[in-house]
Amino acid sequence: MSHRVHLFSLRIAHALRDTLNEAPYGLTTFTKDLMAGITVGVIAIPLAMALAIAIGVAPQYGLYTAIIGGFFIPLTGGSRYSVSGPTAAFVVILYPVVQQYGIAGLLIASILAGIILVMMALLRMGRYIEYIPEPVTLGFTGGIAVVIATLQVKDFFGLTITAMPENFTGKIMVLTEALPDFSLWPLIVGLVTLTVMMLWPRLKTSIPAHLPAVVVGSLIAFTFNRQGLDVATIGSTFTFTLSDGTLGSGIPSVLPNFQWPWLRTQANEAVLVLSWQLAQDLLSAAFAIAMLGAIESLLCAVVLDGMSGKKHSANSELLGQGIGNIITPFFGGITATAAIARSAVNFKTGAKTPIAAMVHAIVVFISLVSLSSVLAYLPMASMAALLIMVAWNMSEAPKAMHLLAKAPRSEIFVFMVCFSLTVLFDMVIAITTGIVLASLLFMKQIAEMTKIQDITEHNKLVNLEVPDGWKVFKINGPLFFAAADRVFGELSQLCNKEQGVVLYLDGVSILDSGGVAALNKFIDKCGKSDTYIYLADFQFQPLKTLAKSGFRPDGVICETYSTLSAALNALPASRVK
């Protein structure tokens, strides 16, 4: 019963309540949460900045997201170990929004996505999101990885590109033209950073690879810059203006301040005028953000359930994600969702409750206030290398290659469509198409489960001698619109020259209006050929659906019976075998 409650429950702060109710929260538990939170917070700092840069906003906005969203989502959500913040999956959606509408448009889209997530939670859609098939998710993640890696080429090679086209082919052309003029020193920094990340896991230490890699890259960049060899850093690339007019470079060491999202701007951006038309223009992007956020956060929760043996509340997690994404933009934070890598580290380092994820947000907050001058030395090439590794990890290339080699053609087709649309167009089109394809693929698989079996000679089920000209068929599987036409079409062919047919329906668990229509069409066709139909042993749901539809057997061509035995006994000249 408790498992069922977790599946369908919806309450704010579900995970926090559950963990605090399991046992008294004492110093020992808090110490474990504290250590896990500090570890994840340190990991999240460079990732949050790199992801903000990737979507076209200043790095402090990534930190604001980790602080505000990283605190409120675990406070209000349904997964006890999930850590939320900016993630790589959103880069493909958010980058075009920033290019067209600036940071203000991005913040408005995030709020709209938060509202959609709350609505999804209220409609109890959490469990349905987890049913999206692997070819769709692999297509998304593979396509996103390609786009993210492409966007890093500029900083990795130290290219001078003033503006990047919105479409993928345009990006490739611009990068190809600029590549011959690459700068050697950023390339060295990027390659060293990437090499350290690839080799570090061999040491089998608990320190995540990207931390020493970024430190090494920063030291090399610092040395190069001291010698007059130009390597772009966060401090040399980004500037800010404080409320008193003070100009600065890098990251401002100030708290995330409350501001109406549509009034927040970056350099060379105009203030947006909030209007119904603007909201409509951003709605498709908001829907894509919400869907991708729901998929990623719930898949993260499922992974953590497998690691921990605990159960999350899918709908409560959607509620927490929605609340977090509504609040965060008012403080300059961009879209947030659960991050699998950071969440896994959170669990592995001993987290016991959502308080660990909230501690992670506080650690990022303290770092913003006290270490902003140090963070300014991080080289852009190292940030690019970090995101290239993130892109590789999220691509799940081994899984994708296995799918292409072993999966049925229909699944390969779905994968290729989702992958291609993500790369060549945008995530709005890709997600919409992916959901439609996922639904069609699911319906196809379910429809294929419905089978017809001739049991006329099956002695265990049919214990009476069936008279000549009669057949007994058993239908197994759901009879909904995608399967019913095919099933009754096959039955029409099988019964074409028979005097009558008994349909044993004990194996039909679901009947919808499409199934009722197909059944009526089958009965009408049998009536024209004077073929009798005995319907036997309905389950409750199909019987209820038939009653609601007004189905009434005429008692001549079509009759219904409560059991198969009753139908067989009603056959003309039936006798025991």
Side-chain angles (χ1 to χ4, degrees), residues 20 111 405 535 569:
L20 296 181
I111 294 172
L535 306 175
N569 280 312

Side-chain angles (χ1 to χ4, degrees), residues 60-61 64 68 103-104 107-108 111 241-243 254-266 269-272 274 325-333:
Q60 64 264 27
Y61 295 115
Y64 297 163
I68 307 299
I103 190 170
L107 300 182
I108 295 171
I111 294 172
T241 304
L242 298 178
S243 56
V254 296
L255 306 181
N257 65 304
F258 179 89
Q259 186 177 11
W260 297 115
W262 50 91
L263 300 180
R264 196 178 292 271
T265 59
Q266 298 186 110
E269 289 182 356
V271 176
L272 289 183
L274 185 64
N325 279 287
I326 292 171
I327 295 173
T328 302
F330 286 92
F331 296 88

